[in-house]
């Protein structure tokens, strides 16, 4: 019976705690058009660092320590959400038939894009930073395969919050799409 009292107190505290809020990327306006050398492109699910792939939203302090923001989480799993955002940007800018894996069409894609993000964080005095490498793999013989590093930095206001980070992440994915078009798909 004594063991039930602490458990009941813990449950009462949990019921009184503030709810977790969720945030999602805002849609990014696609104000540019670009032509690419391919009519069909498959995008693999983005590979993210462990700290960036979960529900917590992290920021980096002056000493370099990553801290999860309290009381707020991503509304969707970051890797699939960012992959869908990248597909939307690439499709919107190029008009090509672009889809996330698994490829949903009967014919095979001409190329496959893989993105491996090594750093993705909001940094004090540096804004939102996303760094990594992308790969363009040809599905047919004779297509030149490419591997290119990328670095995206999106400015943010001092005292940013989770909504600012979400907006910056959306802008970073859009900029990554532009870099992939210019450096790998053109």
């Amino acid at each position: 019976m004594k063991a039930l009292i602490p458990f009941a107190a813990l449950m009462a505290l949990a019921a009184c705690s503030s709810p977790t809020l969720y945030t999602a990327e805002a849609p990014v306006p696609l104000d540019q058009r670009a032509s690419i050398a391919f009519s069909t492109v498959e995008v693999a699910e983005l590979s993210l660092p462990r700290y960036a792939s979960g529900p917590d939203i992290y920021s980096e302090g002056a000493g370099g320590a990553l801290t999860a923001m309290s009381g707020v989480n991503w509304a969707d799993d970051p890797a699939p959400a960012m992959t869908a955002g990248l597909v939307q940007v690439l499709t919107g800018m190029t008009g090509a038939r672009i889809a996330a894996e698994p490829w949903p069409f009967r014919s095979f894609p001409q190329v496959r894009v893989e993105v491996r993000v090594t750093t993705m964080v909001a940094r004090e005095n540096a804004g939102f930073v996303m760094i990594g490498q992308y790969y363009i793999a040809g599905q047919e013989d004779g297509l030149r395969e490419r591997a290119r590093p990328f670095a995206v930095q999106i400015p943010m206001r001092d005292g940013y919050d989770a909504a600012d980070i979400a907006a910056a992440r959306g802008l970073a994915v859009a900029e990554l799409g532009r870099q992939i078009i210019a450096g790998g798909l053109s």
Side-chain angles (χ1 to χ4, degrees):
M1 182 72 168
K2 288 182 180 181
L4 290 178
I5 293 172
F7 178 73
L10 182 62
M11 294 305 291
L13 283 174
C16 294
S17 66
S18 60
T20 300
L21 302 174
Y22 295 91
T23 190
E25 294 174 9
V28 176
L30 302 174
D31 54 355
Q32 296 177 335
R33 296 289 293 165
S35 60
I36 60 174
F38 308 100
S39 59
T40 56
V41 179
E42 179 182 40
V43 178
E45 184 171 285
L46 272 69
S47 169
L48 301 176
R50 184 174 54 136
Y51 65 86
S53 63
D56 294 326
I57 300 172
Y58 284 91
S59 63
E60 183 180 278
L66 297 177
T67 305
M69 299 185 94
S70 179
V72 64
N73 288 79
W74 291 114
D76 200 352
D77 290 333
M82 291 174 65
T83 304
L86 182 59
V87 167
Q88 183 179 24
V89 167
L90 294 174
T91 302
M93 289 181 67
T94 67
R97 188 167 40 153
I98 300 174
E101 68 176 349
W103 186 248
F105 302 105
R106 179 173 285 186
S107 63
F108 293 106
Q110 291 175 290
V111 294
R112 176 181 168 91
V113 175
E114 285 196 35
V115 177
R116 297 180 187 164
V117 178
T118 56
T119 301
M120 186 177 82
V121 69
R123 289 187 169 154
E124 199 172 283
N125 302 319
F128 186 85
V129 177
M130 188 167 71
I131 300 168
Q133 187 149 348
Y134 66 86
Y135 305 86
I136 310 295
Q139 305 289 54
E140 300 171 9
D141 290 337
L143 291 177
R144 195 175 101 220
E145 297 183 321
R146 299 167 181 112
R148 300 248 162 78
F150 68 87
V152 176
Q153 184 172 0
I154 305 297
M156 292 192 311
R157 66 180 174 88
D158 289 340
Y160 56 80
D161 60 14
D164 295 324
I165 294 173
R169 188 179 86 173
L171 292 171
V173 169
E175 176 56 28
L176 173 60
R178 289 181 193 95
Q179 289 185 24
I180 290 171
I181 289 170
L185 296 178
S186 295

